[in-house]
Amino acid sequence: PTRRSSDLTICPPYEMEEILHLLVDQTFLAVVDEEGVFTGILTRREVMKAVNYLAHDLEKEYTVEKK
């Protein structure tokens, strides 16, 4: 299926669930401001690096126990 370019952009307020859903099939998303002006690119790689850091940092700060 063909996607509209607006389907591949994110703008404030950012919703992490939507971003993760879009990044399943896309390697990057264009970031635009409230007026639709391009402000940057969010890559799948950068999101994964942040999640990886958070997961490792969580184990440093907290004891993770099985339920």
Side-chain angles (χ1 to χ4, degrees):
T2 304
R3 295 192 83 149
R4 297 184 325 251
S5 62
S6 62
D7 292 341
L8 306 178
T9 61
I10 55 173
C11 60
Y14 304 111
E15 294 183 22
M16 197 60 181
E17 184 176 354
E18 177 187 3
I19 291 169
L20 292 174
H21 177 74
L22 290 170
L23 286 175
V24 167
D25 296 321
Q26 304 299 321
T27 57
F28 69 91
L29 299 170
V31 182
V32 297
D33 65 14
E34 293 84 358
E35 287 100 37
V37 176
F38 176 81
T39 59
I41 293 175
L42 176 64
T43 65
R44 182 189 306 157
R45 183 174 189 265
E46 287 302 315
V47 171
M48 293 303 298
K49 284 171 52 178
V51 169
N52 184 50
Y53 175 80
L54 179 63
H56 284 89
D57 198 47
L58 182 72
E59 291 179 349
K60 289 178 188 174
E61 298 291 325
Y62 299 94
T63 303
V64 179
E65 296 179 8
K66 191 174 183 177
K67 286 186 173 184

